[in-house]
Amino acid sequence: MSETVTGAGTGTDWRGWQDSWDRQQEWYMPDREERFRVMLDMVEACVGPAPRVLDLACGTGSITDRLLRRFPDAVSTGVDLDPALLAIAEGTFAGDERVTFVAADLKDPHWVQSLPYDSYDAVLTATALHWLHAEPLAALYGQVAGLVRDGGVFMNADHMIDPATPRINAAERAHRHAGMDRAKAGGALDWAQWWELAAADPALAGPTAKRYEIYGEHADGDMPAAGWHAETLRAAGFAEARPVWASPSDTLLLALK
């Protein structure tokens, strides 16, 4: 991203902020687009090319963006609590009747009441639920099971760390961080730098201040292994659950209702 993403006299360049967020996330996850591709492959395989989707912890709407480009007849509800990322999402998709955004706290047991639909063909999330500890995450999975229609799917692409493989984990992490250091030397923005730019933009300064009141610098949650996620989702009411994609550090886990 350039230092300025606000077009002079034309309002905020929300697409510029959307693309900037993508690049910042790709610094942490160079294979981010691959997980999105597999996620949408499995949406199409399981529920078809015109799904009603809940973009859970949607952030700027990265999943919704790719969903609608691939499936123009899809509809999406994005739900998140972060006011800055929601501002970017709402600005990016302004005027698109296929998209609705809802501000809600996923730890609030009543958050589902804010949604425009009672059920969804697919609930999708990526690199977000590791902000939750295991107990509230298990409770959230129970709520998600109630939102997914019979035959529908839930997919979570996130950090899922296997404690049984500490040496593999350490080697992977060291290799990944060496690559991140090289990218950083080439000018890539990290999380803190990106938020500094957001705080300096007049359109995002207020929402960014509010998000720090909500989250602080960063939330600390749990990152249980993929097996825990699969077992917890089956206990919540899904018939089947297993990984459908994995990188050395992350997993895309699919649960079928």
Side-chain angles (χ1 to χ4, degrees):
M1 184 186 74
S2 62
E3 288 299 310
T4 302
V5 294
T6 302
T10 60
T12 301
D13 179 7
W14 295 116
R15 175 52 64 178
W17 276 112
Q18 184 78 240
D19 294 343
S20 171
W21 175 260
D22 282 341
R23 289 195 294 274
Q24 179 256 123
Q25 290 287 285
E26 288 163 4
W27 180 66
Y28 295 94
M29 299 165 288
D31 50 18
R32 185 168 177 258
E33 289 301 326
E34 176 68 8
R35 75 190 65 194
F36 285 146
R37 182 191 66 77
V38 175
M39 178 181 280
L40 295 182
D41 282 350
M42 296 310 298
V43 167
E44 186 172 24
C46 293
V47 299
R52 177 190 293 170
V53 170
L54 177 62
D55 187 350
L56 191 69
C58 65
T60 65
S62 297
I63 291 174
T64 292
D65 191 27
R66 288 151 181 80
L67 172 79
L68 297 181
R69 278 190 271 132
R70 178 160 170 177
F71 305 125
D73 294 327
V75 296
S76 179
T77 303
V79 60
D80 206 296
L81 185 60
D82 189 312
L85 299 186
L86 279 176
I88 295 170
E90 290 167 349
T92 300
F93 296 97
D96 192 330
E97 295 182 354
R98 299 170 296 176
V99 185
T100 303
F101 289 105
V102 174
D105 185 348
L106 297 181
K107 291 184 286 188
D108 180 344
H110 305 295
W111 71 270
V112 296
Q113 297 174 10
S114 302
L115 300 177
Y117 302 105
D118 293 331
S119 68
Y120 289 85
D121 301 308
V123 177
L124 309 177
T125 189
T127 327
L129 300 189
H130 65 272
W131 284 45
L132 297 176
H133 291 287
E135 186 174 345
L137 180 55
L140 178 64
Y141 279 173
Q143 292 178 301
V144 168
L147 289 169
V148 175
R149 67 163 174 83
D150 289 345
V153 296
F154 167 69
M155 277 182 269
N156 180 14
D158 210 343
H159 313 311
M160 300 183 187
I161 298 174
D162 190 341
T165 59
R167 290 188 297 164
I168 295 173
N169 299 348
E172 181 281 322
R173 187 179 187 280
H175 184 268
R176 174 163 44 88
H177 279 260
M180 291 168 65
D181 289 344
R182 291 191 295 271
K184 187 74 176 294
L189 292 176
D190 64 17
W191 173 270
Q193 291 171 318
W194 190 91
W195 281 109
E196 286 177 6
L197 287 178
D201 186 281
L204 289 174
T208 297
K210 290 179 182 176
R211 70 91 52 198
Y212 276 103
E213 291 176 7
I214 295 169
Y215 296 110
E217 288 296 324
H218 200 285
D220 293 321
D222 294 328
M223 290 178 268
W228 179 93
H229 290 269
E231 181 180 347
T232 302
L233 286 162
R234 286 191 292 267
F238 286 92
E240 302 175 15
R242 71 165 176 86
V244 292
W245 174 91
S247 74
S249 60
D250 291 2
T251 298
L252 171 60
L253 194 133
L254 184 151
L256 179 70
K257 188 75 176 290

